Amino acid sequence: MGTQCTGTGSWPNCSTSTCWATPPTLDSDLSQGIQPVQGLALCTLSTMGSAEMCRDLAPEVEKLLLQPSPYVRKKAILTAVHMIRKVPELSSVFLPPCVHLLHERHHGILLGTITLITELCERSPAALKHFRKVVPQLVQILRTLVTTGYSTEHSISGVSDPFLQVQILRLLRILGRNHEESSETMNDLLAQVATNTDTSRNAGNAVLFETVLTIMDIHSAAGLRVLAVNILGRFLLNSDRNIRYVALTSLLRLVQSDHSAVQRHRPTVVDCLQETDASLSRRALELSLALVNSSNVRAMMQELQAFLESCPPDLRADCASGILLAAERFAPTKRWHIDTILHVLTTAGTHVRDDAVANLTQLIGGAQELHAYSVHRLYNALAEDISQQPLVQVAAWCIGEYGDLLLEGNCEEIEPLQVDEEEVLALLEKVLQSHMSLPATRGYALTALMKLSTRLQGNNNRIRQVVSIYRSCLDVELQQRAVEYDTLFRKYDHMRAAILEKMPLVERDGPQADEEAKQSKAAAQLSEAAPAPTEPQASQLLDLLDLLDGASGDAQHPPPLDPSPGGALVYLLDLPCAPPPPAPIPDLKVFEREGVQLNLSFIRPPENPALLLITITATNSSEGDVTNFICQAAVPKSLQLQLQAPSGNTVPARGGLPITQLFRILNPNKAPLRLKLRLTYNHFHQSVQEIFEVNNLPVESWQ
């Protein structure tokens, strides 16, 4: 073999003490015919072989794949798996032997071959295309395993060779993904495995779970997908917590694509809310919220509100936020919506999002027919408990706005309540004096007292005394408010009634409005310079919506329209005036990692300049597929964001079909646009999560 470096640095041609050349002993050991020596060399190479060693010894390992000894062939296959992981470009070396090895009857060799083919298909598009030809052969091997068995010594709890079954199912999933012909070939077999596998043992459950994953990842028939969802539904009834968790997680992934099938198991999912295991109850909560729609919103809200009263403290914030978002999207009536929010504020007021107060006040203000009902409900709730700060703030606001309706006592929806002025004032003073009240809550109460000075018929001396007390308050904002109110009493009393009028109705854009209504309201907001809505569109962003908190202060109001004579003439004569086409907005690359790239493209419809359409495009130029791709986003609270469903969740390797997703952002005030993105996906058998902020968006996208 000649003189070679031993890797010790002592040879004349070795210039360093750390050399990665192939040791001559491994080369010679692989070439010998002694099986134990070859096996030891293969084990060494598969455990600690570097990329250079793999390149040098790949031809030797390829020869050993066809050796007559099963012992050597099995170890050579495992070594080839290591080589592919280290050096993916060696895939072409091991393609020809794999087809021959699929005819083996030896369990270890067949299992190793399936593993090797799986690695090849995941890392090489050429290998994936090559092995799609052997799908019928893989189907026949698996059918034999299911019907007649492979070998009794490899059966576990009556399930024929579950390890081999699972490995074949994983390979079929890769081969059938985005390939209709291969998927059609394996459909009948998957149905056979799903119906004939014993579920009384964990081995059978493992095979069934892999079958479900394969069914959901390929182009399977609709009936087969329903069968897969039903299997997961049976898993929910299993006594093993791990199996129940796997079922909940899988159903959560399927709820968007197979919503009606998952809905059939809604009672079982709701029962899982009472699990003592925190991870199970959290996953059941996420799935329950995902199952809420317009047809079951009343029943689901009852279950979720009951769970909110008894759920662990660490789940209370998520549950309250989910209920509020679901009520926002699917509320059948305004009164039901108000009752639902009030129940959440009463039960878990300290755990709700910061914008819950603004949303409820806006909702009540827009429901003119429910003003009396709302103020009576809130007064009763405030009289019973002043510890829930969001509830106290909404109640104080409502009493200040509609205190006259409270004193009239005319409310048909609830039992009549007789309240006098002194009781109302005493309750607000109690809020002001309570040690549990936050400075913001005291501000609400002080403003409510001030507004009641124009709504009550009695003397205002008591209110003036309370206001004057807070002129020396240590809290600067509360002190300033008290000084201004006191000045209003002393110097501008003749203007007080006009200044403290009821708040005007605020137009509310909610998820229940159709697209045309949203766009017309946005145009009206632009022309009237109305304030931006504070509630973003309900979407999948239960956690991300607060990531850009506090950005609303940067919002800018648009300049007034220029009343030029030409524009007025066009308006009066109702003549068509085509605006000049807007300049194209340049695309923006916002993320790149290991071949995965995310680009943003922008469109602003001329008929609605407040609306920005952002199309995200995820591409993959690496050697491995990107799976389970999810992109979530958040914007400042002065904007509205709606996420459309993505085109898929898998980006094939080497420039395959990209994933696209549409963001709709409503920015009536032309506030500076910022995005916060969260990407999660699996790449090269690793879970990746990236959270980053995009601050360099083109100015044309928001000005």
Side-chain angles (χ1 to χ4, degrees):
M1 295 175 56
T3 302
Q4 297 188 31
C5 176
T6 61
T8 63
S10 58
W11 289 83
N13 294 330
C14 185
S15 60
T16 177
S17 59
T18 304
C19 179
W20 296 104
T22 303
T25 52
L26 273 182
D27 197 356
S28 59
D29 289 347
L30 290 175
S31 303
Q32 292 183 13
I34 306 174
Q35 294 183 17
V37 176
Q38 290 176 321
L40 185 59
L42 289 169
C43 288
T44 304
L45 182 57
S46 64
T47 304
M48 54 183 293
S50 63
E52 289 76 9
M53 294 170 63
C54 291
R55 289 190 183 94
D56 292 343
L57 298 177
E60 296 295 333
V61 175
E62 181 192 7
K63 295 176 184 177
L64 295 178
L65 288 175
L66 302 177
Q67 285 290 319
S69 170
Y71 172 81
V72 175
R73 272 185 294 169
K74 181 172 66 174
K75 292 187 177 296
I77 291 171
L78 298 178
T79 305
V81 172
H82 170 76
M83 288 182 165
I84 294 301
R85 291 173 178 171
K86 273 286 185 182
V87 190
E89 57 264 26
L90 292 177
S91 301
S92 58
V93 176
F94 299 106
L95 284 180
C98 287
V99 179
H100 176 74
L101 291 171
L102 277 178
H103 297 281
E104 287 286 343
R105 294 288 299 172
H106 188 277
H107 170 268
I109 294 177
L110 186 56
L111 183 59
T113 302
I114 299 297
T115 305
L116 176 58
I117 295 176
T118 302
E119 289 292 332
L120 290 169
C121 292
E122 286 182 340
R123 299 176 187 276
S124 170
L128 180 64
K129 183 178 180 180
H130 176 80
F131 284 111
R132 276 180 173 147
K133 302 174 184 177
V134 302
V135 167
Q137 186 176 350
L138 292 170
V139 168
Q140 185 57 43
I141 294 173
L142 185 55
R143 181 174 282 113
T144 303
L145 278 172
V146 174
T147 55
T148 62
Y150 190 78
S151 56
T152 56
E153 64 268 22
H154 296 106
S155 298
I156 300 177
S157 302
V159 180
S160 177
D161 206 339
F163 290 100
L164 185 56
Q165 286 195 55
V166 166
Q167 204 64 34
I168 294 176
L169 286 167
R170 288 178 181 172
L171 178 55
L172 289 176
R173 181 160 72 248
I174 295 172
L175 295 174
R177 187 182 298 146
N178 300 323
H179 195 260
E180 192 167 352
E181 183 179 350
S182 299
S183 300
E184 188 175 351
T185 305
M186 60 185 79
N187 269 342
D188 292 340
L189 172 68
L190 293 174
Q192 185 177 0
V193 175
T195 53
N196 294 340
T197 303
D198 182 17
T199 60
S200 61
R201 302 288 182 178
N202 272 347
N205 290 328
V207 173
L208 275 181
F209 181 63
E210 286 296 331
T211 305
V212 169
L213 294 182
T214 303
I215 290 173
M216 292 304 175
D217 219 15
I218 67 173
H219 294 285
S220 53
L224 199 56
R225 299 179 72 87
V226 172
L227 176 61
V229 173
N230 291 339
I231 291 173
L232 294 176
R234 293 204 305 270
F235 281 177
L236 292 178
L237 303 175
N238 198 291
S239 58
D240 192 313
R241 292 181 178 179
N242 294 322
I243 294 177
R244 295 203 298 275
Y245 182 84
V246 165
L248 289 170
T249 304
S250 302
L251 288 172
L252 188 60
R253 290 175 52 194
L254 300 175
V255 71
Q256 298 298 330
S257 58
D258 298 270
H259 190 83
S260 58
V262 180
Q263 277 285 357
R264 298 190 183 99
H265 305 280
R266 178 163 52 88
T268 310
V269 173
V270 171
D271 290 341
C272 292
L273 289 171
Q274 308 304 324
E275 290 282 354
T276 55
D277 188 286
S279 59
L280 279 174
S281 56
R282 180 179 294 277
R283 195 62 77 195
L285 173 62
E286 294 172 355
L287 182 55
S288 298
L289 291 171
L291 289 175
V292 177
N293 57 28
S294 56
S295 61
N296 63 19
V297 61
R298 292 181 183 271
M300 287 297 294
M301 285 299 106
Q302 290 181 357
E303 298 286 352
L304 291 170
Q305 288 173 10
F307 174 69
L308 180 63
E309 296 176 358
S310 59
C311 71
D314 57 334
L315 287 180
R316 190 157 293 183
D318 292 338
C319 185
S321 178
I323 291 175
L324 294 180
L325 287 172
E328 169 76 12
R329 293 186 64 188
F330 304 112
T333 63
K334 288 185 177 180
R335 175 174 171 176
W336 181 92
H337 192 183
I338 292 173
D339 289 341
T340 301
I341 300 179
L342 286 180
H343 186 275
V344 173
L345 294 180
T346 306
T347 307
T350 57
H351 298 275
V352 299
R353 290 154 41 98
D354 294 338
D355 55 358
V357 174
N359 293 337
L360 182 53
T361 55
Q362 188 181 23
L363 177 63
I364 293 174
Q368 197 167 6
E369 69 280 6
L370 296 175
H371 287 171
Y373 172 77
S374 301
V375 73
H376 280 80
R377 283 288 313 272
L378 284 164
Y379 179 83
N380 289 332
L382 184 61
E384 294 177 2
D385 182 15
I386 63 171
S387 63
Q388 305 283 359
Q389 294 302 291
L391 175 66
V392 177
Q393 293 172 9
V394 176
W397 178 88
C398 200
I399 291 172
E401 290 293 323
Y402 314 117
D404 51 340
L405 301 178
L406 177 63
L407 295 175
E408 289 175 4
N410 297 326
C411 183
E412 300 177 356
E413 289 84 356
I414 60 176
E415 184 179 350
L417 180 66
Q418 297 299 325
V419 182
D420 58 31
E421 297 180 1
E422 295 299 322
E423 291 176 345
V424 176
L425 297 179
L427 183 57
L428 291 175
E429 289 181 18
K430 181 181 177 182
V431 172
L432 283 169
Q433 298 167 4
S434 173
H435 68 280
M436 294 181 291
S437 296
L438 299 172
T441 305
R442 290 190 173 96
Y444 274 96
L446 193 62
T447 302
L449 282 172
M450 195 64 188
K451 289 210 167 190
L452 286 177
S453 68
T454 64
R455 290 156 176 72
L456 303 183
Q457 303 300 324
N459 198 330
N460 291 327
N461 288 334
R462 182 173 180 177
I463 297 176
R464 296 186 64 170
Q465 290 175 0
V466 174
V467 170
S468 63
I469 291 174
Y470 282 90
R471 290 176 58 190
S472 57
C473 179
L474 294 178
D475 185 86
V476 177
E477 184 175 349
L478 196 59
Q479 180 190 93
Q480 179 182 352
R481 188 171 301 190
V483 170
E484 292 171 352
Y485 291 161
D486 186 68
T487 304
L488 193 60
F489 269 122
R490 291 186 293 106
K491 295 185 177 181
Y492 305 99
D493 196 60
H494 62 285
M495 300 172 58
R496 180 165 49 86
I499 294 174
L500 299 176
E501 276 290 335
K502 293 181 180 180
M503 291 287 291
L505 297 180
V506 179
E507 290 294 333
R508 179 179 178 83
D509 285 339
Q512 296 169 309
D514 57 19
E515 210 61 39
E516 293 78 11
K518 291 180 188 175
Q519 296 184 4
S520 63
K521 288 181 181 179
Q525 288 170 354
L526 279 176
S527 61
E528 299 173 4
T534 58
E535 170 68 8
Q537 285 282 7
S539 67
Q540 307 168 353
L541 312 177
L542 297 183
D543 297 323
L544 278 179
L545 284 173
D546 287 327
L547 291 177
L548 293 177
D549 193 10
S552 60
D554 298 331
Q556 300 176 357
H557 292 284
L561 299 177
D562 182 17
S564 60
L569 181 62
V570 172
Y571 177 79
L572 289 174
L573 298 180
D574 197 21
L575 295 176
C577 181
I585 305 175
D587 294 349
L588 181 65
K589 181 173 74 173
V590 296
F591 175 78
E592 186 170 12
R593 172 176 171 174
E594 296 179 347
V596 181
Q597 185 172 311
L598 195 71
N599 295 299
L600 304 183
S601 58
F602 309 89
I603 297 177
R604 293 181 68 179
E607 66 276 7
N608 186 10
L611 181 65
L612 174 65
L613 305 178
I614 301 181
T615 302
I616 69 161
T617 305
T619 58
N620 178 18
S621 59
S622 67
E623 300 294 332
D625 290 348
V626 172
T627 58
N628 300 326
F629 183 88
I630 298 175
C631 179
Q632 296 174 302
V635 296
K637 287 187 176 180
S638 59
L639 282 66
Q640 284 185 320
L641 171 66
Q642 182 183 21
L643 272 66
Q644 303 290 347
S647 60
N649 64 354
T650 300
V651 190
R654 291 195 175 182
L657 186 66
I659 290 177
T660 59
Q661 187 174 4
L662 181 65
F663 295 171
R664 300 173 60 88
I665 298 179
L666 192 62
N667 186 8
N669 294 322
K670 297 186 179 179
L673 180 59
R674 293 186 295 132
L675 276 177
K676 194 157 218 176
L677 299 177
R678 179 168 71 181
L679 306 180
T680 55
Y681 58 88
N682 294 329
H683 197 204
F684 293 131
H685 304 287
Q686 291 184 352
S687 179
V688 179
Q689 177 171 310
E690 293 283 349
I691 299 178
F692 55 93
E693 191 167 334
V694 183
N695 293 318
N696 59 338
L697 292 167
V699 178
E700 299 88 346
S701 64
W702 54 271
Q703 278 192 351

